[in-house]
């Protein structure tokens, strides 16, 4: 089977600084793929290229192909790509001027959903999907800023799920959270992979080992190693991978 | 390094701490600080002097009649400036109609599309320079373009002149506030598959609404007191008028007319008019700051 | 103009602009292209506005420009009946009252800004800054009213006799005290410039990087020495820029000046004597200007004013931008 996302010789740069130097890999559908690597190796840039978020930074550019279900995303409309490939960020960036309900509904409402009934049922469905419905019951119309950071991150996930993407990109979703909140997110990721293809960037090696099916190790903009998570962690082929996951060098 | 900084901070905090041999320098420093403080007090004293005097002279004339009645004929007591207050609001409305979309549009352009680059810098420079162009020249300009063409002084022309004055003020403020909106908010919106214009209009602008509206009210309050361009555009009208194609009265123009007239009773009206004008300006400034709902973006 | 032609022109313009706005390449979302071009259009319209403004003033001043040319600037005669126009008395009044205003407002606003930026307790800062803004929010007409009914009598009865008595040997303070005149205009303008200059100077001082202050404090400098040796020299361009902004505001102020300057086209060395200014002559004579050449002469003055203030503002902004670049360079080093 071919992957949900196929990346072929992907280059990316900011102004004159090259960040990704020809990356090719296949991301399997309904699996969790972890991207690991030392700081500044281009992990975040890599997943930002997958839904064309990279190009919104002035001076940023890409070359190479990214296929989503066999179609080159750089030939598609970026809006459509981003609707199909959702993204969760490092810091839970909820919309501060909006209530919890509005935060989840905003993607739908701005895409032209008008019927309140449908909006309500979708919001409740996605909130329960991330396990937030009971926690925020009765204060859906209160500002979202009152939630804890773990709840905020799950709210962001709910917001992304509401527009029904096929792929979820997560850019270090747990790095701003405490261990218990991180654990909740990890559980959630495990549940979500039934329905979605997930790509997660993480600094936390244990987390990658716990939740991912496949692991890609990036260093200095190059793909060093890619394979099933047990293989990469237990039996790394490359010396650089080995020293990174055993913590000997960055 | 860190320890050094903390030490420096402490030194900065301990204002007057006599060190051996440094007494003269410390004294000089304190004297200069006191001098600067007293200059600030002088400025605030001026504010108090002007506001206090206007309050003293204007308050006695303040009554319901002032807001509801047209002026009384010369020699008769009573009467109000209802027509001028209404006229001022008409002019403000027209000015906002022109100035807000244009100014906010330029602000969006500068903050979202042209943070860097030559064209953006040029527009920024132009906005700054335009904000320093005297209101009187803008008045003359609108006179030559609208009043001469339409062969008539009109509220419309006045509104256009005031609107042009508002544009650079609104634009620069909008840009500044939009730049403070965290980039993550835009990315969150885009990653939901929303087009950039929807992200800007429905996510970024509302998050910055408070700051933008405060800026707009300040700009509006600023032009509410402008009289110079009105001499060439909306002129004045002794009667109640809501026709946009006719001359219309306004508070600044009426204050000028009454103040320069040789009748004591009219002077009283001028003072009360000035009080009402300042009252409107300050009220708007304060209300915007205190009661605007929403999220404040901090620097 | 023919309304039909007007409609046609609007239609063509609308079509062209609409076309530009709607055409798009396939890589981006059509709505985004439209929105982006719309905002660019807003920005371009501003360029157009300034160009048209300059052109219109130039065109309407044509009769006067052709007839008088540059000697208009130093001509001393202003006689609408015999159609002789020279703007020197007005330029003189504007320049003297503005310079006087700057001389008064400069030190005061610099001191106030230093206090607000460097010495004021943190809790007071916001309130004080708001009060200064409030002072800026008072309309010019209100200052004019206050100036003509409060300041002018005070000058006539107290300050001017006193100045004449003790400094009367200077030609600046000779002559009978009128109250209204150059001195009153200068003081009113100073009061109006102070908030602008204070606010901008304060902003400029606050962008001076902390490293600049800390370096001196580490040597054991007193707070004032930090201000004098580190902050003020560093922010020099910005402070001068702020002064130029004040200058621009004072040059263009109309009604407050009109109400206190006396409106008499005289050139006198004494600050006590009534004078006239570029803005006030336009406002005063505009309504009576029935002759085309009279109107053109007034617009000619407006054109001069436009040119001068444009120049002053360009200088001010360039200075402030230069400070901004200096700060960003410093931040890169840090």
């Amino acid at each position: 089977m071919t992957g949900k996302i196929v990346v072929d010789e992907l280059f990316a740069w900011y102004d004159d600084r090259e960040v990704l130097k020809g990356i090719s890999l296949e991301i399997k559908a309904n699996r969790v793929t972890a991207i690991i690597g030392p700081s500044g190796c281009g992990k975040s840039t890599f997943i930002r290229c997958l839904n064309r978020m990279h190009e919104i930074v002035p001076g940023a550019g890409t070359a190479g192909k990214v296929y989503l279900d066999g179609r080159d995303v750089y030939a598609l409309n970026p809006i459509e790509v981003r609707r199909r490939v959702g993204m969760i960020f490092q810091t839970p960036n909820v919309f501060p001027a909006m209530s919890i309900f509005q935060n989840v509904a905003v993607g739908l409402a701005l895409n032209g959903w008008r019927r309140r009934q449908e909006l309500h049922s979708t919001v409740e469905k996605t909130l329960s999907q991330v396990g937030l419905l009971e926690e925020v019951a009765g204060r859906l119309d209160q500002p979202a800023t009152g939630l804890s950071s773990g709840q905020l991150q799950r709210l962001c996930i709910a917001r992304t799920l509401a527009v029904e993407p096929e792929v979820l990109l997560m850019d270090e979703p747990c790095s701003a959270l405490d261990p218990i909140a991180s654990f909740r997110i990890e559980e959630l990721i495990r549940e979500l992979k039934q329905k979605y293809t997930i790509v997660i960037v993480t600094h936390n090696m244990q987390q990658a080992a716990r939740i991912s099916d496949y692991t890609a190790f990036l260093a200095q903009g190059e793909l060093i190693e890619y394979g099933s998570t047990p293989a990469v962690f237990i039996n790394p082929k490359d010396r650089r991978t080995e020293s990174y996951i055993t913590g000997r060098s960055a | 390094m860190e320890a050094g900084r903390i030490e420096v901070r402490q030194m900065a905090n301990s204002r007057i701490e006599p060190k051996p041999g440094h007494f003269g320098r410390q004294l000089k420093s304190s004297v200069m600080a006191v001098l600067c403080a007293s200059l600030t007090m002088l400025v605030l004293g001026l504010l108090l002097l002007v506001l206090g005097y206007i309050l003293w002279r204007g308050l006695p004339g303040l009554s319901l009649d002032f807001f509801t009645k047209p002026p009384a004929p010369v020699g008769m007591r009573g009467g109000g400036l209802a027509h001028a207050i209404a006229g001022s609001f008409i002019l403000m409305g027209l000015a906002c109609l022109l100035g807000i979309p244009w100014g906010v549009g330029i602000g969006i352009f500068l903050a979202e599309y042209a943070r860097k680059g030559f064209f953006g810098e040029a527009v920024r420079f132009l906005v700054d320079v335009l904000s320093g162009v005297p209101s009187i020249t803008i008045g003359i300009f609108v006179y030559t373009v609208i009043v001469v063409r339409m062969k008539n002084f009109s509220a419309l022309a006045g509104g256009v002149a005031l609107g042009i004055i508002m544009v650079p003020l609104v634009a620069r403020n909008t840009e500044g506030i939009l730049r403070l909106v965290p980039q993550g908010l835009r990315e969150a919106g885009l990653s939901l598959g929303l087009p950039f214009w929807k992200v800007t209009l429905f996510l970024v602008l509302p998050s910055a609404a408070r700051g933008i509206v405060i800026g707009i009210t300040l700009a509006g309050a600023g032009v509410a007191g402008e009289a110079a361009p009105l001499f060439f555009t909306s002129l004045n009208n002794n009667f109640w008028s809501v026709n946009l194609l006719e001359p219309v009265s306004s508070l600044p123009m009426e204050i000028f007319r009454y103040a320069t007239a040789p009748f004591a009773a009219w002077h009283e009206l001028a003072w009360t008019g000035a009080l009402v004008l300042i009252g409107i300006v300050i009220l708007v400034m304060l209300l915007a700051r205190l009661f605007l709902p929403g999220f404040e973006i901090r620097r | 103009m023919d309304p039909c032609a007007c409609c046609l022109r609007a239609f063509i313009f609308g079509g062209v602009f609409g076309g530009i706005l709607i055409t798009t390449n396939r890589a981006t979302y059509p709505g985004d292209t439209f929105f982006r071009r719309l905002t660019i259009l807003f920005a371009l319209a501003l360029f157009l506005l300034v160009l048209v403004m300059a052109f219109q003033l130039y065109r309407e001043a044509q009769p006067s420009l052709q007839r008088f040319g540059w000697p208009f600037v130093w001509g001393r005669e202003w006689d609408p009946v015999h159609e002789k126009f020279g703007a020197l008395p007005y330029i003189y009044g504007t320049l003297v009252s503005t310079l006087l205003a700057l001389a008064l407002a400069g030190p005061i606003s610099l001191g106030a800004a230093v206090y607000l930026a460097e010495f004021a307790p943190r809790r007071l800062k916001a309130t004080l800054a708001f009060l200064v803004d409030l002072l800026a929010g008072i309309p010019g007409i209100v200052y004019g009213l206050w100036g003509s009914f409060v300041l002018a009598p005070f000058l006539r009865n107290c300050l001017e006799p006193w100045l004449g008595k003790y400094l009367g040997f200077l030609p600046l303070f000779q002559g009978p005290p009128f109250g209204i005149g150059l001195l009153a205009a200068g003081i009113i303008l100073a009061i109006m410039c102070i908030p602008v200059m204070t606010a901008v100077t304060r902003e400029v001082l606050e962008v001076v990087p902390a490293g600049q202050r800390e370096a001196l404090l580490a040597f054991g400098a007193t707070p004032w020495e930090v201000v004098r040796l580190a902050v003020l020299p560093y922010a020099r361009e910005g402070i001068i820029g702020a002064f130029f902004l004040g200058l621009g505001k004072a040059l263009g102020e109309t009604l407050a000046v009109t109400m206190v300057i006396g409106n008499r086209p005289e050139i006198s060395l004494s600050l006590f004597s009534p004078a006239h200014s570029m803005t006030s002559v336009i406002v005063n004579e505009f309504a009576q200007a029935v002759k085309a050449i009279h109107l053109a002469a007034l617009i000619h003055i407006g054109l001069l004013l436009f040119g001068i203030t444009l120049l002053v503002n360009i200088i001010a902004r360039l200075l402030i931008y230069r400070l901004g670049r200096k700060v960003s360079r410093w931040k890169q080093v840090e």
Side-chain angles (χ1 to χ4, degrees):
Chain A
M1 106 188 200
T2 58
K4 178 79 180 168
I5 295 179
V6 178
V7 182
D8 185 19
E9 284 296 307
L10 180 68
F11 290 82
W13 59 86
Y14 294 101
D15 293 319
D16 49 358
R17 194 163 54 86
E18 201 176 36
V19 193
L20 297 182
K21 301 163 187 167
I23 291 189
S24 304
L25 59 79
E26 262 180 40
I27 290 161
K28 300 274 191 293
N30 293 76
R31 294 287 180 274
V32 177
T33 306
I35 315 283
I36 60 170
S39 304
C41 71
K43 302 183 298 269
S44 294
T45 308
F46 175 69
I47 67 163
R48 287 170 67 94
C49 288
L50 300 186
N51 71 341
R52 299 190 57 175
M53 289 293 284
H54 177 63
E55 67 199 36
I56 69 167
V57 180
T62 56
K65 304 272 190 217
V66 177
Y67 297 97
L68 175 64
D69 287 334
R71 294 182 64 192
D72 185 2
V73 299
Y74 284 89
L76 291 173
N77 190 319
I79 307 302
E80 191 197 331
V81 173
R82 292 181 198 137
R83 205 170 296 166
R84 290 170 61 188
V85 184
M87 192 166 207
I88 315 293
F89 298 86
Q90 190 167 354
T91 44
N93 45 14
V94 298
F95 303 122
M98 295 183 183
S99 70
I100 296 172
F101 177 84
Q102 286 170 324
N103 255 289
V104 181
V106 64
L108 298 171
L110 289 184
N111 276 326
W113 281 42
R114 285 288 168 269
R115 262 167 290 175
R116 282 197 68 80
Q117 204 57 47
E118 279 179 39
L119 271 183
H120 260 281
S121 61
T122 314
V123 167
E124 287 189 1
K125 196 185 81 195
T126 46
L127 278 178
S128 72
Q129 229 175 330
V130 299
L132 211 55
L133 191 58
E134 302 88 77
E135 292 172 43
V136 299
R139 43 183 183 135
L140 276 178
D141 52 353
Q142 281 174 24
T145 39
L147 301 177
S148 76
S149 56
Q151 287 172 321
L152 287 178
Q153 191 62 292
R154 277 185 285 143
L155 185 64
C156 288
I157 296 177
R159 183 176 68 189
T160 310
L161 295 182
V163 294
E164 301 191 325
E166 299 155 30
V167 181
L168 281 182
L169 306 175
M170 300 188 164
D171 189 358
E172 301 187 28
C174 300
S175 67
L177 306 183
D178 61 80
I180 296 167
S182 309
F183 184 68
R184 287 282 284 131
I185 303 273
E186 285 178 23
E187 264 188 342
L188 183 60
I189 290 173
R190 249 179 248 118
E191 289 163 24
L192 288 176
K193 82 174 178 185
Q194 314 294 329
K195 277 186 72 182
Y196 306 95
T197 305
I198 295 173
V199 183
I200 178 169
V201 165
T202 177
H203 257 125
N204 183 333
M205 233 75 64
Q206 286 77 28
Q207 187 178 53
R210 275 197 301 269
I211 60 174
S212 69
D213 305 298
Y214 293 90
T215 298
F217 174 65
L218 261 59
Q220 286 161 355
E222 286 174 69
L223 180 66
I224 306 296
E225 190 156 353
Y226 178 50
S228 76
T229 300
V232 172
F233 273 84
I234 298 166
N235 198 2
K237 293 194 196 73
D238 198 290
R239 204 180 41 78
R240 285 169 291 181
T241 318
E242 188 184 354
S243 54
Y244 179 72
I245 53 186
T246 51
R248 273 205 290 275
S249 82
Chain B
M1 185 66 193
E2 200 52 35
R5 284 207 171 180
I6 291 166
E7 203 175 280
V8 166
R9 289 267 149 72
Q10 281 168 349
M11 287 172 68
N13 287 342
S14 63
R15 286 250 172 80
I16 301 159
E17 187 184 294
K19 294 192 185 85
H22 291 192
F23 185 74
R25 287 167 57 205
Q26 285 292 355
L27 186 72
K28 190 176 174 198
S29 182
S30 320
V31 167
M32 291 313 290
V34 169
L35 182 70
C36 287
S38 47
L39 285 175
T40 313
M41 289 306 125
L42 176 68
V43 174
L44 297 183
L46 281 172
L47 176 71
L48 217 64
L49 207 63
V50 175
L51 282 187
Y53 194 81
I54 287 163
L55 215 58
W56 179 52
R57 293 293 301 270
L59 217 46
L62 208 59
S63 65
L64 195 63
D65 281 359
F66 187 84
F67 293 95
T68 54
K69 288 203 174 143
V74 180
M76 283 175 65
R77 295 205 63 80
L81 287 179
H83 65 306
I85 295 174
S88 266
F89 277 103
I90 290 174
L91 289 173
M92 289 312 305
L94 287 171
C96 287
L97 235 47
L98 176 71
I100 293 175
W102 197 351
V104 171
I106 293 176
I108 291 175
F109 170 72
L110 289 175
E112 305 292 333
Y113 294 111
R115 292 204 181 188
K116 292 182 203 162
F118 177 75
F119 184 55
E121 283 304 313
V123 173
R124 207 162 282 133
F125 187 68
L126 190 77
V127 169
D128 281 343
V129 168
L130 188 65
S131 70
V133 168
S135 54
I136 187 170
T137 47
I138 292 176
I140 298 173
F141 164 67
V142 173
Y143 168 81
T144 66
V145 175
I146 296 183
V147 177
V148 171
R149 290 261 160 88
M150 295 176 56
K151 300 185 178 68
N152 193 11
F153 292 93
S154 62
L156 187 71
V160 169
L162 296 184
I164 292 176
I165 298 171
M166 270 179 89
V167 169
L169 308 174
V170 174
R172 262 317 223 160
N173 177 69
T174 304
E175 186 208 353
I177 303 288
L178 286 182
R179 273 172 176 252
L180 298 177
V181 174
Q183 193 63 25
L185 202 139
R186 291 184 187 93
E187 294 187 349
L190 287 174
S191 77
L192 290 176
L194 298 175
F196 194 83
W197 70 273
K198 281 187 183 171
V199 171
T200 307
L201 283 188
F202 302 115
L203 294 177
V204 176
L205 272 188
S207 320
R210 185 182 152 85
I212 292 175
V213 174
I214 286 180
I216 288 173
T217 54
L218 286 184
V223 300
E226 282 287 355
L230 302 183
F231 275 89
F232 314 97
T233 51
S234 68
L235 213 62
N236 206 339
N237 192 336
N238 289 346
F239 305 101
W240 180 275
S241 164
V242 289
N243 187 344
L244 297 187
L245 299 178
E246 289 288 318
V248 72
S249 182
S250 57
L251 272 176
M253 291 295 284
E254 285 296 78
I255 295 171
F256 182 72
R257 191 161 71 97
Y258 288 134
T260 48
F263 314 112
W266 280 22
H267 294 167
E268 297 309 316
L269 269 181
W271 285 111
T272 311
L275 179 66
V276 170
L277 184 59
I278 291 185
I280 292 174
V281 169
I282 293 181
L283 209 66
V284 167
M285 278 167 84
L286 272 178
L287 283 182
R289 254 163 226 259
L290 294 180
F291 295 112
L292 259 188
F295 168 76
E296 182 152 23
I297 290 173
R298 292 189 189 87
R299 277 181 199 263
Chain C
M1 207 191 329
D2 182 17
C4 202
C6 224
C7 283
L8 189 69
R9 209 182 285 180
F11 187 73
I12 293 171
F13 269 117
V16 169
F17 280 129
I20 293 173
L21 289 175
I22 287 168
T23 50
T24 174
N25 51 338
R26 280 195 50 229
T28 49
Y29 190 72
D32 283 352
T33 317
F34 174 79
F35 186 64
R36 174 155 192 262
R37 292 191 180 151
L38 191 69
T39 65
I40 293 178
L41 207 65
F42 277 126
L44 284 177
L46 201 69
F47 272 101
L48 201 69
L49 177 77
V50 173
L51 285 181
V52 171
M53 200 184 286
F55 174 74
Q56 275 290 340
L57 290 179
Y58 180 75
R59 202 177 68 174
E60 298 289 323
Q62 255 325 304
S64 168
L65 278 166
Q66 275 171 357
R67 187 139 154 208
F68 306 112
W70 281 108
F72 184 78
V73 175
W74 53 81
R76 297 183 63 155
E77 224 174 329
W78 185 273
D79 188 350
V81 181
H82 298 97
E83 299 190 357
K84 280 186 179 165
F85 296 100
L88 190 64
Y90 310 110
I91 297 173
Y92 175 81
T94 293
L95 281 186
V96 172
S97 59
T98 311
L99 290 181
L100 186 62
L102 273 196
L104 292 171
I108 295 176
S109 41
L110 182 61
V114 167
Y115 179 75
L116 288 176
E118 303 288 328
F119 296 118
R122 189 167 294 182
R123 260 179 281 161
L124 268 180
K125 263 186 194 179
T127 317
L128 289 177
F130 177 71
L131 288 176
V132 173
D133 280 348
L134 213 59
L135 199 61
I138 297 179
I141 180 89
V142 175
Y143 282 116
L145 187 67
W146 185 80
S148 60
F149 284 100
V150 182
L151 182 68
F154 168 74
L155 290 182
R156 186 173 59 239
N157 300 330
C158 305
L159 189 64
E160 286 183 352
W162 185 84
L163 282 172
K165 193 169 164 194
Y166 291 101
L167 295 169
F169 55 89
L170 292 170
L172 286 180
F173 302 114
Q174 284 167 0
F178 278 100
I180 50 173
L182 282 172
L183 186 62
I187 293 175
I188 280 291
L189 282 179
I191 297 176
M192 295 184 66
C193 292
I194 284 174
V196 182
M197 287 161 70
T198 307
V200 180
T201 309
R202 184 178 72 97
E203 274 170 29
V204 159
L205 294 181
E206 278 177 351
V207 301
V208 174
Q212 292 276 333
R213 300 159 217 258
E214 288 170 359
L216 264 184
L217 281 169
F219 286 130
T222 61
W224 169 248
E225 283 164 344
V226 171
V227 171
R228 192 168 58 88
L229 298 173
V231 177
L232 292 184
Y234 191 93
R236 193 182 61 226
E237 293 100 331
I239 295 171
I240 300 172
F243 278 44
F244 270 89
L245 282 188
L247 177 66
K249 187 171 161 65
L251 284 172
E253 178 49 42
T254 306
L255 284 170
V257 177
T258 306
M259 290 172 82
V260 296
I261 203 167
N263 296 333
R264 207 185 287 172
E266 285 173 4
I267 297 179
S268 158
L269 260 184
S270 170
L271 295 181
F272 297 167
S273 63
H276 222 319
S277 84
M278 296 167 80
T279 49
S280 47
V281 68
I282 302 177
V283 161
N284 277 324
E285 300 194 359
F286 187 76
Q288 299 113 312
V290 280
K291 288 183 185 168
I293 186 74
H294 191 185
L295 191 64
L298 291 176
I299 295 180
H300 193 167
I301 294 183
L303 183 69
L304 289 177
L305 191 67
F306 182 66
I308 295 171
T309 48
L310 218 54
L311 196 70
V312 165
N313 275 289
I314 287 174
I315 294 173
R317 292 300 171 180
L318 287 181
L319 286 167
I320 293 176
Y321 287 167
R322 220 167 88 183
L323 176 74
R325 279 204 292 281
K326 194 154 97 181
V327 171
S328 60
R329 268 207 302 283
W330 174 272
K331 280 192 177 140
Q332 272 166 12
V333 172
E334 255 185 352

